[in-house]
Amino acid sequence: MSVTTITASTHSGVCGSANASRRCLRLRRSNGHIIFGTEKRFLSHQCVQKNLFSDKYGQGSTRVEAGWFFRGGGGDQSSDASSERSESANEDILIFFYQLDLATRVQYALNLEEYEIANQLRNKLNEVEVEVTKQRETQRGLSSKSEAQDKGLSLLRLRADLQNAIENENYPLAAEIRDQISKLEADSLAASIKAQAFEKAEFGFRLGQKVRHKKYGYRAVICGMDPVCCETSSWMENANVDQLTRGPDQPYYQVLVDVREDPNLLVAYVPEENLLAPEEPDKARFDHPYASFLFYGVDSAGDFIPVKQLREKYNRPRHEVPYDPQDERSGDDA
């Protein structure tokens, strides 16, 4: 069995509020495959082309991929702000949507008493979740702690082998083992430092918070976070990460960019030092096609409210807006 999610939109735009989007979901069988389509339509200018999720997997393995969900039309594609555009951050968000969509379809099939389809979809959801967990552990250092422990055990074994080689006067082997120990010690230290960075990370911003970019000035909303930069070395070189005051070892945020300010950027990966929280609550309109499945809506301070699954993904607590008696008095007057 294979499952393919096709996401398409024709002559679409991304202006208008996030709640203006409408989704039409369909489920059908075709030649032993389960195919489920999603259409999103947005008001205003045309800037969306069809894209797709696809999961390709062979025996014993699952490979999860996602392409750009939307494309901007017009504007300067080579603007400085585009240096922080992140394909991997966009893919991460779309795979998250894929998981939400699968879970919704499982429930939909159960409601229709299509138990065979529901079971197949549930199995597919489990496969995707396992693969995504592995990818996140590799990319974001969550496996660094166990990796450091494994290297520590290997060091103990190598030191025992070194002692035996010395006692047996096998000095060429002892020299070779000593080189292996030196390399393993360096790798173990790097893994330990990375694991500690992830465990002790403190974030200056929260999921759903509206922010503004210090250099480029655009408005954005935070939808993901990493304790350190998890991008590739080539991406960091293109984004001039080495010129940052805090370098790559600071929190990085996946942000949705207000499409009315930069329709070509959409998703950026931004270091904490480049973000500013507004001095006053930002209650102005914010438009982005991904907002409708990442957030429930906005709170009284104008920030977005993350869906439960997004908070669980990053293990972040629910943010409560401080009580303001003025709001209650205003409500009574109304």
Side-chain angles (χ1 to χ4, degrees):
M1 182 201 60
S2 67
V3 179
T4 303
T5 304
I6 299 177
T7 305
S9 179
T10 59
H11 301 290
S12 304
V14 285
C15 283
S17 68
N19 292 331
S21 65
R22 303 186 302 279
R23 288 192 293 175
C24 174
L25 307 176
R26 298 188 304 277
L27 175 69
R28 63 186 177 87
R29 278 180 171 277
S30 176
N31 298 326
H33 294 62
I34 295 177
I35 302 174
F36 43 104
T38 304
E39 289 188 358
K40 268 182 174 279
R41 295 184 175 85
F42 296 87
L43 306 177
S44 193
H45 66 283
Q46 173 185 345
C47 66
V48 181
Q49 297 179 356
K50 73 176 182 178
N51 262 281
L52 58 85
F53 289 116
S54 65
D55 41 283
K56 303 175 182 177
Y57 47 97
Q59 283 187 325
S61 65
T62 299
R63 181 181 171 195
V64 181
E65 299 177 343
W68 277 96
F69 205 9
F70 295 87
R71 292 287 185 184
D76 182 9
Q77 295 283 354
S78 60
S79 66
D80 290 340
S82 67
S83 65
E84 292 180 338
R85 178 188 286 116
S86 173
E87 298 283 347
S88 61
N90 181 75
E91 177 180 294
D92 189 53
I93 294 169
L94 295 185
I95 292 175
F96 175 72
F97 170 71
Y98 183 19
Q99 292 174 276
L100 291 181
D101 195 53
L102 275 173
T104 299
R105 293 182 182 284
V106 169
Q107 188 58 53
Y108 181 66
L110 289 173
N111 292 343
L112 295 179
E113 298 184 357
E114 292 279 358
Y115 299 117
E116 181 182 353
I117 292 178
N119 188 53
Q120 291 175 341
L121 288 169
R122 189 182 290 112
N123 290 338
K124 173 51 57 183
L125 177 59
N126 291 337
E127 288 180 27
V128 172
E129 288 177 344
V130 168
E131 181 64 21
V132 167
T133 298
K134 290 179 181 178
Q135 290 180 358
R136 285 180 59 80
E137 286 179 349
T138 300
Q139 179 189 13
R140 305 187 177 206
L142 300 179
S143 61
S144 296
K145 185 174 182 180
S146 59
E147 181 184 349
Q149 292 171 344
D150 291 342
K151 291 183 184 298
L153 292 174
S154 298
L155 281 170
L156 292 176
R157 287 193 290 268
L158 283 173
R159 289 186 178 120
D161 292 341
L162 175 63
Q163 185 63 32
N164 289 333
I166 293 173
E167 290 176 356
N168 295 326
E169 298 183 357
N170 190 345
Y171 299 117
L173 177 60
E176 182 180 339
I177 294 174
R178 202 161 28 236
D179 292 340
Q180 294 177 15
I181 289 175
S182 297
K183 183 178 184 305
L184 197 57
E185 284 176 338
D187 292 343
S188 178
L189 178 61
S192 298
I193 292 173
K194 189 174 183 181
Q196 290 175 4
F198 274 76
E199 289 177 355
K200 299 179 180 180
E202 294 184 2
F203 296 97
F205 302 96
R206 64 179 184 276
L207 291 173
Q209 185 174 6
K210 287 181 181 175
V211 292
R212 187 171 289 279
H213 199 290
K214 284 184 181 179
K215 291 176 63 177
Y216 307 127
Y218 60 72
R219 295 167 66 236
V221 61
I222 291 170
C223 65
M225 51 185 60
D226 294 317
V228 295
C229 183
C230 294
E231 271 288 359
T232 62
S233 56
S234 60
W235 184 94
M236 287 191 274
E237 181 179 355
N238 184 60
N240 298 316
V241 171
D242 59 331
Q243 298 178 17
L244 295 171
T245 303
R246 297 165 61 186
D249 298 324
Q250 62 175 306
Y252 266 71
Y253 298 86
Q254 296 177 4
V255 301
L256 307 182
V257 180
D258 189 336
V259 296
R260 292 179 298 119
E261 299 193 14
D262 192 336
N264 300 304
L265 188 52
L266 290 183
V267 178
Y269 195 55
V270 187
E272 187 170 85
E273 70 179 69
N274 279 351
L275 294 176
L276 284 171
E279 295 182 1
E280 298 293 332
D282 182 358
K283 298 184 180 182
R285 169 176 160 179
F286 187 97
D287 296 325
H288 198 284
Y290 295 175
S292 60
F293 62 83
L294 292 174
F295 306 108
Y296 291 120
V298 296
D299 58 27
S300 59
D303 291 324
F304 282 89
I305 304 170
V307 298
K308 179 183 178 183
Q309 294 90 334
L310 187 63
R311 288 190 287 106
E312 290 175 346
K313 175 181 176 180
Y314 291 99
N315 193 28
R316 309 310 297 171
R318 178 174 177 173
H319 174 70
E320 300 291 345
V321 180
Y323 171 69
D324 186 356
Q326 182 64 38
D327 293 339
E328 187 172 297
R329 288 196 294 271
S330 298
D332 292 340
D333 294 340

